Amino acid sequence: MQTFNHLITTRPHGVRQVLISDLHLSLEEPALVQAFLALLDDCLALPSLKRLFILGDWFEVWLGDDFYLSLSEDDRQTHWLTPLILKLKKLRISGCEILVMHGNRDFLLDQPFCNLFAGQLIYEPYNLTIANQNYRLEHGDALCTDDKKYQFFRKIMRNRLTQWYLLNKSLEKRLVIADKMRGKSQKNNANKSAYIMDVNDEAVEAAVANSDALLHGHTHRPDTHQITESKHRYVLGDWRLLDNDTRQPKVSAVIGAVTESNDDIEFGLFEFKTLV
């Protein structure tokens, strides 16, 4: 796996699509926010970039689009999300599509927020054709079928009635609910075996049955796995803060990129690092 500090150092004219996931951005993690802005700067410098995919858990928690949309113009000026929106809007104007998928932490994200930067909310599974091969894209939590409790929770949270109920609560009450859910999740995960929180082999085989490859995030275990002789599973990585105690911490993430050179189109995983 190649490691680089800037996307533009890796065949900049050949990069066509960039795929990321599990950024877990929040006001409490400014280094991750700055790293995402750095990635967007690199994307703006790529002359042939056509698509940016964000495959879930873009945010650590999302209380609903009104969390931002209900702010006054003055409040938006100083909000931590505003620089991201402006940069994404600039990227979209440059001709790059921005496609956003739900994760298990930002399932209340909706199209009105994406409209701020002319992005598009997409749903899993999403099929992407790369060099005549069909890649199935999803966040990845639906593949962790050994975790029965989580799958039950996921089914409830993805229900439209549940989401309607949550969105009709005040933002303050939603924040309390989110904090309780996050605390309970951390407590439950601490007592779970590692294999339970990873994907299930049978679920993977079923997911890739009609595809040539599977691409997901969620597990925070970036790697390339061979499913069959001709099929692979690619796992994107979470965005991690390294060297936090130094004056200039570093953020690392394993991302995906579709590159084209001399009519040869290929997909690969790359480690992206940036100094904050």
Side-chain angles (χ1 to χ4, degrees), residues 3-207:
T3 298
F4 51 88
N5 294 327
H6 294 283
L7 284 172
I8 56 176
T9 63
T10 306
R11 291 184 292 171
H13 292 276
V15 181
R16 296 291 188 270
Q17 304 183 64
V18 171
L19 303 97
I20 60 179
S21 74
D22 298 279
L23 291 84
H24 296 275
L25 302 185
S26 71
L27 178 63
E28 289 72 31
E29 292 289 355
L32 298 182
V33 175
Q34 291 303 314
F36 179 56
L37 289 171
L39 179 86
L40 293 180
D41 282 333
D42 281 359
C43 287
L44 283 165
L46 297 174
S48 303
L49 186 66
K50 297 302 180 187
R51 281 178 168 178
L52 170 65
F53 286 90
I54 304 175
L55 300 180
D57 282 3
W58 184 9
F59 301 105
E60 174 66 12
V61 64
W62 191 258
L63 301 176
D65 288 4
D66 57 337
F67 163 70
Y68 184 82
L69 296 178
S70 63
L71 296 175
S72 67
E73 287 298 322
D74 288 340
D75 288 337
R76 289 192 189 188
Q77 291 294 323
T78 57
H79 199 277
W80 68 274
L81 281 172
T82 301
L84 276 64
I85 294 168
L86 294 176
K87 195 86 71 174
L88 286 165
K89 188 175 182 179
K90 189 176 180 180
L91 182 63
R92 184 68 189 93
I93 291 173
S94 73
C96 177
E97 291 183 83
I98 302 164
L99 302 107
V100 182
M101 182 180 287
H102 288 134
N104 55 293
R105 293 186 177 272
D106 50 15
F107 55 85
L108 290 179
L109 189 69
D110 208 352
Q111 187 59 47
F113 179 75
C114 295
N115 287 341
L116 293 175
F117 50 87
Q120 180 63 48
L121 191 66
I122 59 175
Y123 300 91
E124 55 183 6
Y126 183 90
N127 294 317
L128 176 65
T129 301
I130 303 174
N132 297 321
Q133 287 198 317
N134 183 31
Y135 281 62
R136 175 183 169 122
L137 311 184
E138 55 183 289
H139 177 59
D141 56 328
L143 301 170
C144 302
T145 55
D146 290 324
D147 193 343
K148 305 297 184 184
K149 287 185 177 180
Y150 170 73
Q151 292 302 325
F152 179 71
F153 170 79
R154 183 183 190 276
K155 186 176 182 179
I156 293 175
M157 289 294 104
R158 296 301 180 99
N159 185 281
R160 288 177 179 251
L161 186 61
T162 302
Q163 295 183 6
W164 175 87
Y165 172 79
L166 289 172
L167 292 172
N168 276 274
K169 295 281 188 182
S170 68
L171 282 169
E172 291 77 13
K173 288 184 178 179
R174 274 180 258 166
L175 182 60
V176 172
I177 293 171
D179 285 341
K180 287 182 178 179
M181 288 168 52
R182 184 162 43 181
K184 187 175 182 180
S185 174
Q186 291 173 346
K187 184 178 179 180
N188 289 338
N189 288 343
N191 298 319
K192 289 177 183 176
S193 301
Y195 84 90
I196 289 180
M197 293 187 289
D198 202 355
V199 298
N200 174 277
D201 290 341
E202 292 182 1
V204 167
E205 291 174 5

Side-chain angles (χ1 to χ4, degrees), residues 216-269:
H216 68 84
H218 178 67
T219 63
H220 299 189
R221 301 174 186 184
D223 206 346
T224 299
H225 303 271
Q226 190 161 350
I227 304 172
T228 67
E229 187 174 341
S230 60
K231 297 185 178 186
H232 292 81
R233 175 170 68 93
Y234 301 95
V235 187
L236 301 174
D238 59 310
W239 289 48
R240 304 176 181 182
L241 183 60
L242 309 175
D243 305 323
N244 192 27
D245 296 329
T246 63
R247 291 184 61 186
Q248 208 169 16
K250 182 181 292 184
V251 172
S252 172
V254 174
I255 67 176
V258 179
T259 58
E260 183 174 346
S261 178
N262 299 323
D263 295 326
D264 182 26
I265 304 173
E266 60 182 10
F267 171 81
L269 295 180

